[in-house]
Amino acid sequence: MEAMGLSADFWRGKRVLVTGHTGFKGSWLTLWLQSLGAQVSGFSLDPSTEPSLFELARVHEGINDQRGDLRDLGALLEVIADTEPEIVLHLAAQPLVREGYRDPLGTYSSNVMGTLNLLEAIRQVGCVRACVLVTTDKVYANKEWLWPYREDEALGGHDPYSSSKACCELLAQSYAASFFPADKYAEHGLALATARAGNVLGGGDFAPERLIPDVLKAWTADEPVTLRYPQAVRPWQHALEPLAGYLQLAAGLYEQGPEYAGAWNFGPGEADMCSVGEVVELLASRWPQARGLRIEKSELHEAGLLRLDSSRARQLLGWQPRWTLQACLTQTLDWHLAWQNGDDMRTVTLGQLNLYRGAL
């Protein structure tokens, strides 16, 4: 039996808007919602990579595929008014730390103003009952300490990307307090939450300057892998792990309202808190043409140690990671090899999704 909030009984026929549906995580989420029978609309820019999971898995099939920029409030108002979503899952963002250094203005514009426009469109149209805003584990004021961060700890952000996402958390807090307070839920009918997840892996991620895409691209070209921070420890997990949490959280908001509002962490178990170098070693053990490592020093700051405490999600949502890091890497490599082999990637992607759902 699937966990609370992950069954077709809940999602069948629900009107759902996914922002960022053309991205890596957005594509996996949109396929999952389709498989559960939801009426899915997507609002996003065109895919940012070529190839992309969105195109390879033909994610557009069976959904209302809308293209646009979150910084265009008029377009958002029109989409929400036309589709009347009951549930909104907000994933659209500029998601890369190093791109934030190259283009801080664009990063803040996309992430902060895009989120503000979405919240304002939801407030004005008034049809949404549950909204999950996806941010990142990097919203915390990271002190590089050993113990994991809980949802009530201080927000921060050394780099522009992390800071922009912390700003989104503050926006959510402000709109919840100003326009959607718990004590007036009977009047406004909206429950709002933010979701903070770690570094996600999985088939179909072709973004530059991400570990797995960079590793597989280098080895496919018979070149060594270049690492910037091999000792950095990250909360690695398959993309489907936090996506399951987002779906469960959205269902909780829809059914229980303010009881599930606020911030939520979705991170892996302690055993899967590995360094960048250790992840590459695990991959090398499965890849016959692995060609070693090359260290490239960088002057740009990135966190060296970051852990999440997901106790709230475990206890209140019944959420927990289902795949070990080894299983995650196996599924990622299998997807990549199937793509290189010319397989039908919608079938492969749905097959891995069904495999994960079987573990729930």
Side-chain angles (χ1 to χ4, degrees), residues 286-306:
R286 290 286 316 281
W287 189 270
Q289 290 86 29
R291 286 294 179 266
L293 304 177
R294 180 171 55 210
I295 307 302
E296 177 185 277
K297 292 185 179 180
S298 173
E299 299 302 320
L300 300 180
H301 174 271
E302 289 190 32
L305 179 64
L306 183 58

Side-chain angles (χ1 to χ4, degrees), residues 4 151 248 259-260 264-266 309-320:
M4 180 195 79
E151 288 90 345
Q248 290 184 259
E259 182 179 340
Y260 286 85
W264 297 77
N265 286 339
F266 297 98
D309 183 332
S310 304
S311 299
R312 187 184 186 207
R314 292 171 185 266
Q315 294 173 10
L316 299 183
L317 293 175
W319 174 88
Q320 62 179 334

Side-chain angles (χ1 to χ4, degrees), residues 94-355:
Q94 191 295 99
L96 302 173
V97 171
R98 292 172 69 84
E99 178 62 22
Y101 282 112
R102 285 189 292 267
D103 183 14
L105 183 61
T107 297
Y108 281 105
S109 177
S110 295
N111 294 352
V112 181
M113 292 307 300
T115 299
L116 177 58
N117 281 342
L118 178 68
L119 288 169
E120 182 60 18
I122 288 172
R123 183 182 76 87
Q124 290 190 30
V125 177
C127 60
V128 179
R129 287 183 54 177
C131 178
V132 176
L133 303 179
V134 175
T135 60
T136 175
D137 59 339
K138 298 173 183 64
V139 298
Y140 293 104
N142 191 1
K143 301 176 182 179
E144 304 277 346
W145 56 31
L146 294 176
W147 50 88
Y149 291 89
R150 294 174 296 182
E151 288 90 345
D152 60 355
E153 303 205 57
L155 299 174
H158 183 285
D159 61 274
Y161 164 73
S162 303
S163 171
S164 74
K165 286 300 203 173
C167 289
C168 293
E169 292 278 350
L170 294 175
L171 279 175
Q173 292 175 16
S174 175
Y175 261 69
S178 300
F179 306 114
F180 313 118
D183 60 353
K184 294 184 179 179
Y185 177 70
E187 299 175 21
H188 58 73
L190 173 68
L192 174 66
T194 61
R196 306 164 180 174
N199 291 45
V200 295
L201 311 175
D205 186 3
F206 295 98
E209 298 178 336
R210 280 199 183 131
L211 180 62
I212 304 303
D214 285 353
V215 169
L216 298 182
K217 181 179 180 180
W219 287 346
T220 299
D222 199 25
E223 298 175 352
V225 175
T226 299
L227 299 181
R228 297 186 302 271
Y229 303 96
Q231 302 305 317
V233 175
R234 298 284 187 267
W236 308 102
Q237 57 191 334
H238 196 281
L240 291 173
E241 302 280 26
L243 293 180
Y246 305 163
L247 291 174
Q248 290 184 259
L249 177 56
L253 293 167
Y254 186 92
E255 295 187 326
Q256 302 296 329
E259 182 179 340
Y260 286 85
W264 297 77
N265 286 339
F266 297 98
E270 187 65 24
D272 292 327
M273 297 291 295
C274 297
S275 71
V276 169
E278 289 171 326
V279 170
V280 175
E281 289 178 3
L282 286 171
L283 281 172
S285 68
R286 290 286 316 281
W287 189 270
Q289 290 86 29
R291 286 294 179 266
L293 304 177
R294 180 171 55 210
I295 307 302
E296 177 185 277
K297 292 185 179 180
S298 173
E299 299 302 320
L300 300 180
H301 174 271
E302 289 190 32
L305 179 64
L306 183 58
R307 290 184 166 96
L308 294 180
D309 183 332
S310 304
S311 299
R312 187 184 186 207
R314 292 171 185 266
Q315 294 173 10
L316 299 183
L317 293 175
W319 174 88
Q320 62 179 334
R322 303 290 176 168
W323 278 350
T324 64
L325 178 58
Q326 186 63 62
C328 166
L329 293 175
T330 295
Q331 293 301 315
T332 302
L333 284 175
D334 286 350
W335 192 100
H336 190 83
L337 292 170
W339 169 59
Q340 288 188 325
N341 193 48
D343 294 353
D344 183 291
M345 297 315 297
R346 183 178 177 90
T347 300
V348 170
T349 306
L350 287 172
Q352 290 197 347
L353 173 58
N354 289 332
L355 183 66

